[in-house]
């Protein structure tokens, strides 16, 4: 059932003192993507890293990188992140005053546009953008911190978004609290991509065995 699911590793759960090594480890573990969480201390109550740190790690891997922009008005940084090696640029619907314009800017910068929604935002609020995005990212925790527990109720949005995207290649990703123990329910709900930080990086047997366990579900 889970052979084809994409697995995206959040570097938020990495040991930052060895970030380069950790990125190589993620690649060797069989993950399909690097998930890069950008927080501005305004849209969310936490701050992480920006385009310069991304540039220093994107050269180390052939994996695609999704920049998850938990940032107010993220369109301001699209060109910078494209130059730093982001392949997908996922913005929050709640953080953009002109979401359609922001998605256009992202595509013009040469990245795949994505829309993320908080647990309290309904899927219906973003369905009209289906034709101009490559990814919907359903937040299964409140954005801002790794290591939280998945909010099961958020998973019902996946089916709504998949149905809206029927007929075109549209990736629905789930982010927050995803781990080996609940991966089957996230996949059953229809997710194409599982994004996981602590669930992979802190898995007792290591990230490679977590990836293997998910793929053998
Ligand atoms: C939370 C971030 C997530 C986070 C997930 O705001 O968007 O990507 O890294 O971490 P885990 O998998 O530990 O919940
Ligand atoms: Zn994220």
């Amino acid at each position: 059932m889970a052979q084809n699911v994409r697995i995206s590793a959040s570097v938020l759960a990495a040991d930052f003192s060895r970030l380069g090594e950790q990125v190589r480890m993620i690649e060797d573990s069989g993950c399909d993507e690097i998930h890069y969480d950008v927080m501005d201390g305004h849209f969310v109550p936490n701050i992480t890293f920006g385009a310069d740190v991304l540039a220093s790690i994107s050269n180390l891997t052939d994996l695609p990188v999704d920049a998850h922009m938990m940032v107010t008005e993220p369109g301001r940084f699209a060109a910078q992140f494209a130059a730093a090696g982001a392949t997908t640029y996922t913005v929050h619907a709640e953080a953009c005053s002109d979401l359609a314009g922001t998605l256009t800017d992202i595509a013009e910068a040469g990245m795949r546009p994505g829309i993320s929604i908080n647990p309290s935002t309904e899927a219906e609020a973003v369905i009209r953008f289906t034709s101009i995005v490559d990814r919907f990212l359903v937040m299964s925790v409140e954005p801002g911190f790794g290591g939280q527990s998945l909010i099961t109720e958020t998973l019902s949005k996946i089916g709504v978004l998949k149905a809206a995207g029927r007929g075109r290649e549209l990736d629905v990703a789930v982010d927050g609290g995803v781990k080996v123990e609940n991966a089957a329910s996230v996949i059953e709900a229809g997710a194409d991509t599982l994004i996981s930080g602590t669930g992979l990086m802190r898995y007792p047997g290591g990230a490679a065995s977590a990836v293997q366990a998910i793929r053998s579900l």
Side-chain angles (χ1 to χ4, degrees):
M1 169 179 101
Q3 277 85 357
N4 296 328
V5 75
R6 278 185 286 273
I7 301 177
S8 182
S10 172
V11 291
L12 190 61
D15 173 352
F16 297 150
S17 69
R18 317 184 280 126
L19 196 49
E21 270 171 55
Q22 298 261 281
V23 166
R24 291 197 191 93
M25 182 278 287
I26 287 168
E27 185 159 2
D28 292 345
S29 300
C31 293
D32 303 293
E33 183 186 71
I34 303 276
H35 183 80
Y36 188 78
D37 285 309
V38 182
M39 306 186 190
D40 67 351
H42 184 260
F43 179 66
V44 289
N46 198 6
I47 297 174
T48 54
F49 24 56
D52 290 345
V53 174
L54 176 58
S56 72
I57 60 173
S58 63
N59 286 333
L60 303 174
T61 177
D62 292 330
L63 293 180
V65 178
D66 179 17
H68 178 195
M69 303 300 292
M70 288 161 278
V71 170
T72 302
E73 300 299 354
R76 296 176 289 158
F77 306 109
Q80 217 180 322
F81 275 76
T87 43
T88 303
Y89 193 79
T90 301
V91 300
H92 271 262
E94 306 86 359
C96 301
S97 53
D98 172 14
L99 185 51
T102 303
L103 297 171
T104 305
D105 291 346
I106 296 166
E108 277 172 6
M111 298 179 291
R112 291 157 35 99
I115 300 177
S116 179
I117 51 172
N118 283 344
S120 60
T121 302
E122 296 300 329
E124 285 75 10
V126 293
I127 275 178
R128 67 182 182 283
F129 300 103
T130 302
S131 61
I132 50 171
V133 292
D134 291 300
R135 162 170 287 177
F136 282 119
L137 188 161
V138 173
M139 284 303 302
S140 41
V141 299
E142 291 300 335
F145 301 92
Q148 305 179 73
S149 300
L150 181 141
I151 304 166
T152 312
E153 294 71 39
T154 59
L155 300 181
S156 60
K157 296 178 199 176
I158 302 169
V160 178
L161 294 167
K162 285 303 290 179
R166 194 161 293 146
R168 72 178 295 260
E169 222 176 280
L170 177 71
D171 174 283
V172 178
V174 175
D175 185 14
V178 178
K179 42 187 75 213
V180 171
E181 292 73 17
N182 59 22
S185 62
V186 181
I187 295 165
E188 257 160 45
D192 303 295
T193 299
L194 308 188
I195 298 166
S196 177
T198 52
L200 293 177
M201 317 284 275
R202 312 274 163 85
Y203 190 66
S209 37
V211 169
Q212 220 170 16
I214 292 170
R215 294 215 193 278
S216 62
L217 285 170

